[in-house]
């Protein structure tokens, strides 16, 4: 049993998140139902309130995993000590002092959704910016082609993923996320581990090749042995990522979303069937981004999916395969229809694949959440657990409202209403800031374990700037919450473990 005291806290609620699995009561459906969340052509991460609303809606649609971006355009989307020390930017400046990853984890775990951060840009530093601030500060990290120029492919500028320094840099960012946040895994994509086939002509990579073969690399970047050698470097790096993540926390999932094979191998040195065969990945999500989902076996989606599955002949390996489904692109206005969404899932199940991931979250608001209803009322009607998890891994939290029976009040509390108090509730309790009024929450704990606990911070210009939350477990620790800081600070605030 734990007891929490909130002193001079004008309004509050409490939830606790179990940091270890509980025993499930029955065997649920086992499917991966995932969606990518990015800050490009999407404002879902622009405020805590929007994040909370998104997680509520995704849960209602049946989604059980989110892949939020944490690395793109040369910036992290969490405060990174490494980025601050090396480049002077602890986080994407557009987020100010916020930590959107922490906020998203709290809201996703509140509704039982797993969070697997997505290192979207991988070894790319920028888009059409000549390498951006990363290569401006570290020009020796630039990937070079056989003309000695910076490698730019499809508009993306690349640092040298063969360079041990660059590899260690990316591994450090991964370690920061794994050790600093209660995540459920990490994910690379078509740029991690990956390098354009044109790359490899910098001095570091040429020296590595000479040390092994006693000669310079071939002048032609498509020479078969030269492609094979560089792809092997990416496979080894996939192994480094996997071993490091598992050493830090063996319960975390290592996922990758590469380009389809063999395109990804020929263009980006991604030999992902070898990653699976070597045991370097738990979840593989090839980007089967086709728009033809006709019912016949001749549909381009089904044909491409069939080809990808064929590269994993072992049934155990196929159990790790989940296709990436293109559902929306704001740039050209593409939005999958409800019928095609159902056909994609039907194709996946007919080929024995227990789940999928959608690119990207904006498919739902772009359809006014009609696509969420298609999922909820159809194939996602029953909740599911990701196939790689034991049931009960991410249980729903214990939530106690200030108006619940058993919450002890001292002093004068009144009901406060209005959207500026709590977006998801009609009323909370308030008390005068200097009155000494308190609320004491007593929570029945289901088992001895570690729990993260949060308090809901409301917002109003008239609320207290020094509302106090005190633990009554013998530690005497206290957290001060500013409830008038800014509207976007409204939401669940991590207090302790």
């Amino acid at each position: 049993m734990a007891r929490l005291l909130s002193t001079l806290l004008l309004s509050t609620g409490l939830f606790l998140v179990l940091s270890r699995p509980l025993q499930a009561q029955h065997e649920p459906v086992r499917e991966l139902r995932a969606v990518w969340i990015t800050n490009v052509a999407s404002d879902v991460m622009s405020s805590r309130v929007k994040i909370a609303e998104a997680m509520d809606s995704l849960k209602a649609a049946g989604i059980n995993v989110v892949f939020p971006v944490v690395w793109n355009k040369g910036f992290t989307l969490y405060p990174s000590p490494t980025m601050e020390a090396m480049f002077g930017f602890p986080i994407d400046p557009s987020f100010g002092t916020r930590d959107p990853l922490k906020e998203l984890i709290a809201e996703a775990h509140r509704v039982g959704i797993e969070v697997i951060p997505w290192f979207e840009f991988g070894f790319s530093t920028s888009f059409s910016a000549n390498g951006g601030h990363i290569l401006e500060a570290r020009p020796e990290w630039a990937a070079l082609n056989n003309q000695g120029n910076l490698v730019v492919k499809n508009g993306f500028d690349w640092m040298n993923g063969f360079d041990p320094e660059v590899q260690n840099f990316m591994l450090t960012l991964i370690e920061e996320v794994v050790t600093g946040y209660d995540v459920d895994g990490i994910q690379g994509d078509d740029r991690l581990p990956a390098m354009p086939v044109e790359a490899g002509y910098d001095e570091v990579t040429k020296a590595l090749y000479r040390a092994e073969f006693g000669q310079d690399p071939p002048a032609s970047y498509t020479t078969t042995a030269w492609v094979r050698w560089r792809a092997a470097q990416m496979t080894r790096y996939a192994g480094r990522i996997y071993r490091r993540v598992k050493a830090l926390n063996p319960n975390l999932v290592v996922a990758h979303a590469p380009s389809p094979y063999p395109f990804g191998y020929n263009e980006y040195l991604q030999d992902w069937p070898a990653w699976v065969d070597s045991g370097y990945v738990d979840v593989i999500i090839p980007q089967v981004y086709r728009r033809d989902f006709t019912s016949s076996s001749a549909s381009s989606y089904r044909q491409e999916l069939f080809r990808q599955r064929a590269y994993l002949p072992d049934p155990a390996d196929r159990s790790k395969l989940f296709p990436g489904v293109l559902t929306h692109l704001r740039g050209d206005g593409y939005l999958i229809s409800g019928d095609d969404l159902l056909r994609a899932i039907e194709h996946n199940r007919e080929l024995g694949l227990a789940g999928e991931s959608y690119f990207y979250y904006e498919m739902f608001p772009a359809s006014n959440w009609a696509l969420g209803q298609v999922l909820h009322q159809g194939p996602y009607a029953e909740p599911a657990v990701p196939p790689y998890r034991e049931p009960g891994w991410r249980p729903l939290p214990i939530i106690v409202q200030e108006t619940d029976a058993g919450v002890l009040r001292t002093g004068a509390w009144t009901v406060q209403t209005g959207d500026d108090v709590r977006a998801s509730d009609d009323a909370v309790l308030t008390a005068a800031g200097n009155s000494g009024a308190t609320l004491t929450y007593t929570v029945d704990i289901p088992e001895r374990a570690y729990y993260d606990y949060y308090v809901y911070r409301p917002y109003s210009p008239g609320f207290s700037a020094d509302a106090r939350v005190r633990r009554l477990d013998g530690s005497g620790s206290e957290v001060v919450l500013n409830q008038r800081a800014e509207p976007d600070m409204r939401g669940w605030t991590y207090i302790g473990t």
Side-chain angles (χ1 to χ4, degrees):
M1 181 174 292
R3 301 179 69 207
L4 298 180
L5 175 67
S6 56
T7 305
L8 305 182
L9 187 59
L10 294 185
S11 74
T12 182
L14 168 76
F15 84 75
L16 290 89
V17 178
L18 185 61
S19 295
R20 50 165 287 194
L22 282 172
Q23 185 64 39
Q25 300 302 309
H26 65 279
E27 183 66 22
V29 175
R30 302 180 70 87
E31 290 181 353
L32 178 72
R33 301 169 177 177
V35 64
W36 280 284
I37 295 176
T38 181
N39 63 329
V40 177
S42 175
D43 66 352
V44 66
M45 299 180 76
S46 64
S47 76
R48 287 189 182 201
V49 173
K50 289 183 177 180
I51 289 173
E53 292 171 347
M55 294 306 112
D56 287 335
S57 299
L58 289 175
K59 179 66 174 181
I63 298 298
N64 57 17
V65 175
V66 291
F67 298 123
V69 62
V70 291
W71 167 248
N72 68 6
K73 296 181 287 188
F75 296 105
T76 53
L77 278 75
Y78 67 92
S80 166
T82 298
M83 288 295 294
E84 182 171 26
M86 296 185 69
F87 304 106
F89 294 100
I91 191 172
D92 183 327
S94 66
F95 291 101
T97 59
R98 290 177 54 215
D99 186 342
L101 176 58
K102 180 183 291 186
E103 296 167 7
L104 189 144
I105 289 171
E107 298 297 345
H109 288 175
R110 173 178 59 83
V111 295
I113 293 177
E114 288 197 15
V115 179
I116 300 178
W118 167 38
F119 290 81
E120 180 187 8
F121 262 51
F123 288 131
S124 174
T125 62
S126 57
F127 185 81
S128 299
N130 199 38
H133 62 274
I134 299 289
L135 294 187
E136 181 180 2
R138 301 300 296 265
E140 71 277 13
W141 281 7
L144 301 181
N145 60 23
N146 56 8
Q147 301 300 309
N149 298 321
L150 173 67
V151 172
V152 181
K153 194 176 181 80
N154 295 326
F156 291 91
D157 313 317
W158 289 75
M159 55 184 164
N160 181 21
F162 304 116
D163 187 335
E165 276 195 12
V166 173
Q167 292 188 357
N168 290 338
F169 165 69
M170 284 304 306
L171 200 58
T172 298
L173 298 185
I174 291 172
E175 290 172 357
E176 286 181 342
V177 169
V178 167
T179 59
Y181 296 87
D182 183 21
V183 298
D184 300 281
I186 63 97
Q187 186 192 74
D189 69 350
D190 52 353
R191 289 178 287 272
L192 184 76
M195 282 300 297
V197 70
E198 295 87 354
Y201 293 91
D202 60 280
E203 290 304 319
V204 172
T205 308
K206 290 194 292 186
L208 292 172
Y209 188 86
R210 281 194 298 266
E212 189 168 341
F213 297 104
Q215 60 184 5
D216 283 339
S220 172
Y221 58 79
T222 59
T223 301
T224 300
W226 175 222
V227 171
R228 185 186 307 117
W229 183 84
R230 288 173 294 161
Q233 309 311 305
M234 292 297 97
T235 297
R236 292 191 187 99
Y237 188 61
R240 285 190 65 196
I241 294 173
Y242 189 86
R243 289 188 295 271
R244 186 58 181 150
V245 170
K246 295 295 183 177
L248 293 169
N249 187 340
N251 294 315
L252 299 186
V253 170
V254 176
H256 290 294
S259 295
Y261 194 89
F263 173 86
Y265 177 85
N266 294 330
E267 296 295 330
Y268 291 95
L269 306 173
Q270 290 193 302
D271 190 4
W272 61 258
W275 307 350
V276 178
D277 186 60
S278 300
Y280 295 160
V281 62
D282 300 310
V283 171
I284 195 76
I285 310 174
Q287 298 177 16
V288 189
Y289 291 171
R290 303 293 183 268
R291 305 188 188 190
D292 171 21
F293 301 93
T294 54
S295 299
S296 73
S297 60
S299 75
S300 61
Y301 176 82
R302 186 183 179 96
Q303 287 184 333
E304 186 59 56
L305 183 58
F306 188 84
R307 280 192 291 268
Q308 299 308 298
R309 191 187 68 155
Y311 292 116
L312 299 177
D314 187 331
D317 289 342
R318 284 185 178 178
S319 68
K320 302 177 180 180
L321 178 66
F322 307 92
V325 181
L326 180 65
T327 56
H328 181 49
L329 284 177
R330 184 172 291 183
D332 66 5
Y334 172 69
L335 178 65
I336 195 170
S337 69
D339 287 342
D340 280 349
L341 181 61
L342 294 175
R343 290 188 189 106
I345 297 172
E346 182 180 352
H347 289 318
N348 298 343
R349 300 300 178 272
E350 287 178 350
L351 292 178
L353 305 179
E356 46 277 324
S357 183
Y358 303 113
F359 188 86
Y360 64 127
Y361 166 80
E362 290 297 320
M363 65 182 273
F364 295 112
S367 68
N368 292 318
W369 285 92
L371 293 177
Q373 287 296 312
V374 168
L375 295 175
H376 171 67
Q377 296 174 1
Y380 291 2
E382 186 174 348
V385 172
Y388 51 79
R389 290 294 186 207
E390 290 300 317
W393 163 258
R394 185 58 70 185
L396 291 173
I398 305 164
I399 299 180
V400 182
Q401 303 283 15
E402 62 273 24
T403 53
D404 288 351
V407 176
L408 177 64
R409 307 181 202 173
T410 67
W413 291 88
T414 58
V415 174
Q416 173 80 31
T417 61
D419 289 341
D420 62 338
V421 176
R422 187 194 338 239
S424 60
D425 222 88
D426 293 332
V428 295
L429 298 177
T430 66
N434 296 318
S435 68
T438 66
L439 299 172
T440 301
Y441 299 82
T442 302
V443 183
D444 290 325
I445 300 302
E447 66 172 293
R448 184 175 178 83
Y450 287 103
Y451 294 81
D452 291 338
Y453 66 99
Y454 296 75
V455 168
Y456 190 92
R457 169 164 44 185
Y459 166 77
S460 173
F463 280 2
S464 173
D466 60 351
R468 298 177 183 274
V469 181
R470 184 179 305 143
R471 289 172 57 181
L472 297 181
D473 59 359
S475 69
S477 62
E478 188 174 81
V479 174
V480 178
L481 298 181
N482 183 352
Q483 299 176 125
R484 61 171 98 162
E486 54 185 280
D488 282 348
M489 295 302 292
R490 180 179 63 198
W492 291 102
T493 300
Y494 172 76
I495 301 297
T497 298

